[in-house]
Amino acid sequence: MTAGWLTPSNVTMVARYWPGAVDLDLDELAALLASAAVQCDAYAPQVEVAPDNYLHAQCLQARALYRSTMAGSGDQIGIDGQAVQVFPMDWTVKNLLRPKRGPWVK
């Protein structure tokens, strides 16, 4: 597993990408960050130490996991007609972990 994933002791960096995380219980935040690290590590190309884009992705994935606990059976948060779909790992997280390369990148 890649080293250097975020933990609740990195609350300043976590709050940079997920400001609402400071309101969570530390045990809950620890569980969310650990789960997100496992998911991100499984998807991301392996490196020795997690770079900033991996940490950003971890925070976004932890936030998505947190929101999924509030989602209904249809994987949506919000009232009817104004619901937001919750995805297991959205394209933003995936692109942070595996950036797309254009024809201009060599």
Side-chain angles (χ1 to χ4, degrees), residues 24-105:
L24 298 177
D25 174 76
L26 286 180
D27 290 336
E28 182 179 22
L29 180 58
L32 291 166
L33 288 171
S35 295
V38 168
Q39 292 175 324
C40 290
D41 194 70
Y43 187 81
Q46 293 301 299
V47 295
E48 200 168 309
V49 177
D52 285 344
N53 58 309
Y54 282 29
L55 303 180
H56 188 175
Q58 180 193 10
C59 286
L60 294 180
Q61 185 62 14
R63 184 180 68 185
L65 290 171
Y66 174 72
R67 287 181 176 170
S68 72
T69 64
M70 298 181 296
S73 61
D75 292 335
Q76 295 183 344
I77 299 172
I79 58 174
D80 291 334
Q82 298 178 354
V84 175
Q85 189 74 26
V86 179
F87 298 100
M89 183 176 277
D90 78 9
W91 64 270
T92 304
V93 174
K94 288 180 177 182
N95 283 336
L96 283 166
L97 297 170
R98 291 187 189 171
K100 294 195 185 310
R101 297 186 188 275
W104 57 90
V105 178

